[in-house]
Amino acid sequence: MTLNGLFQVGLYFLVLLALVRPLGWYMARVYEGRPIWLNFVLGPVERLIYRACGVREREETDWKTYASAMLFFNAAVSFTSNTNWQAYGGETTLSHFTQTAGLTVQNFVSAATGMAILAALIRGLARRNAQTIGNFWVDFGARHPLYPAAPLAAPGGCAGRRRGRPNFRCLSDRVLAPACVLFQAGRCAGWAAAPG
């Protein structure tokens, strides 16, 4: 590994260590349902999502119900979409709009499912004698997409756009590679920054 590579790895770990306490505090408050500074802006959106989906925010479930909800959701998603994009070929496979509207959603959904399971696991370990571990639909459907994911993805998407990463509105931009191979413009900035 080069000296520059070692420096970058070291810098990454320093930034990671610096963020552990504030980000951990923030995430704990989000998944405990305690007030945070974003509640003023995102609270009405969160309540609208609960109302539209028929979710009772304060109703917690046991681990079997939580796991069943997660498995049911994953089965439903698997039947309606192919979420395995190992052979994804950029704009030759999907339109710019489909990438933005479809794949960005899948990035958030994938991360939200993992974070919901992690939140349930942590609650299960912290609440040794409790009968409930939270509500999958609250953790998955509103808390993760609204509080940690969107605030982290929005600045990342703007930074990517500022660095020149195209978004789906650059419908026919093409870049000529040094090897004289024609590639269409890269991913949309918001998708590149989407956690997941």
Side-chain angles (χ1 to χ4, degrees), residues 28-45:
R29 291 186 72 82
V30 165
Y31 285 106
E32 289 171 359
R34 294 169 52 197
I36 55 172
W37 59 276
L38 281 173
N39 284 115
F40 178 72
V41 176
L42 298 176
V45 176

Side-chain angles (χ1 to χ4, degrees), residues 84-96 98-100 103 185-188 191:
N84 184 1
W85 285 97
Q86 293 177 10
Y88 168 65
E91 291 82 358
T92 59
T93 306
L94 300 171
S95 71
H96 293 275
T98 304
Q99 290 179 72
T100 302
L103 297 182
R187 306 182 297 182
C188 87
W191 180 39

Side-chain angles (χ1 to χ4, degrees), residues 82-155:
N82 179 7
T83 55
N84 184 1
W85 285 97
Q86 293 177 10
Y88 168 65
E91 291 82 358
T92 59
T93 306
L94 300 171
S95 71
H96 293 275
F97 176 76
T98 304
Q99 290 179 72
T100 302
L103 297 182
T104 301
V105 169
Q106 291 302 325
N107 286 347
F108 276 91
V109 165
S110 172
T113 303
M115 290 301 294
I117 297 303
L118 180 62
L121 175 67
I122 291 170
R123 283 188 203 113
L125 294 173
R127 302 175 183 176
R128 290 190 181 121
N129 297 324
Q131 299 297 315
T132 60
I133 59 169
N135 185 327
F136 175 76
W137 301 112
V138 170
D139 293 340
F140 163 82
R143 291 221 174 114
H144 177 74
L146 288 177
Y147 294 101
L152 290 173

